[in-house]
Amino acid sequence: GAVLAKQAGGNFALALLLTVGCNTLGVVTAPVLLNFFAEAGDVEFPLGTLIWKLALTVFAPLVCGKLAQEIKFGELEVKKVVAKNNKTITMISNGLLCMIPWMRVSNTVMEGTFARASMADMLVVFVWTAFVHVLFLIMNFCGTRLLGMEEELQKAVVMVGSSKTLPMALSVLTFLPEETGDTGLMGIPCIIAHLGQIVMDGFVASYWKEHSSSGHTSNTQTEVSSFTEMNASAVSNVNDKTPSEPMYEKTAGPNQA
């Protein structure tokens, strides 16, 4: 979400803050919502255990990473090492994130539950999750417009607030009790929804950046500055080529005596 918000020209700092904040709140809100629906279906749900396990897998690594940035190991600073190897660390992080759905799908195939999901079912899941995602985009866009937010902040809120995180969803499914159902089969809709929203948000981010008012303003300012520089250069060339006028002293003519 934060990367797509940056691609759309949004405020990356706010997008990153929203991503971290929403994931942190999800440690509590996701189990509470699941417990509500579980009670409606007469399913025993370990609310406290799930919150504790999610806190260890989601919240604890965040706190450890933040503390590591502030601690100095002699002359070695974690913050400087991360900044120096930012590209490599990002690639490793993305690779590990890609392995999460791969392991889930592989486990589902090995258990034989993947064959229970037909192509028609997957198509229905994709259409429904795409509809929900578009609905979230519209709601967040209208809400930020009504609040009068700046365009950069609006892009960050819309792109991040409308997306769902796959690692968080799969973490919740991992800690669910067995009586709730086949967690491997339940992970397939999460993966389909995540891939669908990435594709849709990619088009939305590119379109929004090209047609944003800030983009047009920056292009106009660039054109005006280029035109001004061209005129200044032309005037300078003319002045360099124009000879200075000689100064003549008035002298009395032959008839002026």
Side-chain angles (χ1 to χ4, degrees):
V3 176
L4 290 171
K6 182 180 180 181
Q7 180 181 344
N11 190 308
F12 182 71
L14 177 61
L16 191 60
L17 177 63
L18 290 174
T19 302
V20 175
C22 291
N23 287 336
T24 304
L25 291 176
V27 172
V28 178
T29 57
V32 170
L33 289 175
L34 288 175
N35 183 52
F36 173 78
F37 290 110
E39 291 179 354
D42 296 330
V43 178
E44 186 178 354
F45 191 82
L47 178 60
T49 304
L50 182 58
I51 293 178
W52 172 249
K53 290 181 179 180
L54 287 178
L56 291 178
T57 57
V58 177
F59 186 67
L62 175 65
V63 175
C64 293
K66 184 60 180 176
L67 291 177
Q69 289 185 350
E70 304 300 330
I71 297 176
K72 295 183 180 180
F73 301 94
E75 298 181 355
L76 178 63
E77 293 186 20
V78 178
K79 186 182 297 185
K80 293 181 179 180
V81 174
V82 172
K84 183 178 180 180
N85 304 277
N86 184 38
K87 186 176 181 180
T88 303
I89 295 176
T90 302
M91 293 178 63
I92 295 175
S93 176
N94 293 336
L96 295 175
L97 289 176
C98 292
M99 290 180 65
I100 294 177
W102 173 69
M103 290 187 296
R104 174 62 62 177
V105 172
S106 299
N107 188 32
T108 306
V109 172
M110 290 181 62
E111 294 176 353
T113 55
F114 188 81
R116 294 164 53 186
S118 62
M119 291 299 299
D121 295 334
M122 295 183 183
L123 181 61
V124 171
V125 169
F126 174 76
V127 173
W128 177 248
T129 54
F131 170 76
V132 173
H133 184 58
V134 171
L135 183 63
F136 284 163
L137 287 172
I138 295 174
M139 291 174 56
N140 290 324
F141 180 80
C142 295
T144 52
R145 277 297 180 91
L146 291 176
L147 293 175
M149 299 180 66
E150 297 180 4
E151 190 172 23
E152 288 187 355
L153 304 180
Q154 180 185 5
K155 291 177 179 180
V157 173
V158 172
M159 300 302 295
V160 176
S162 305
S163 60
K164 285 73 65 183
T165 57
L166 180 62
M168 184 68 182
L170 295 182
S171 298
V172 173
L173 293 179
T174 302
F175 300 128
L176 289 179
E178 295 181 358
E179 55 268 20
T180 56
D182 190 345
T183 57
L185 194 61
M186 287 189 290
I188 296 177
C190 299
I191 297 173
I192 294 175
H194 184 74
L195 296 177
Q197 78 176 14
I198 288 178
V199 174
M200 287 189 294
D201 287 349
F203 285 105
V204 172
S206 299
Y207 180 85
W208 203 350
K209 185 176 183 179
E210 292 178 358
H211 296 79
S212 61
S213 59
S214 59
H216 289 306
T217 302
S218 60
N219 291 336
T220 303
Q221 292 177 351
T222 303
E223 294 175 358
V224 170
S225 60
S226 300
F227 181 75
T228 304
E229 292 177 359
M230 290 175 60
N231 287 341
S233 177
V235 171
S236 177
N237 292 335
V238 170
N239 291 336
D240 292 340
K241 294 180 180 180
T242 303
S244 57
E245 295 181 358
M247 299 296 295
Y248 295 99
E249 296 181 358
K250 286 187 178 182
T251 56
N255 297 328
Q256 295 177 355

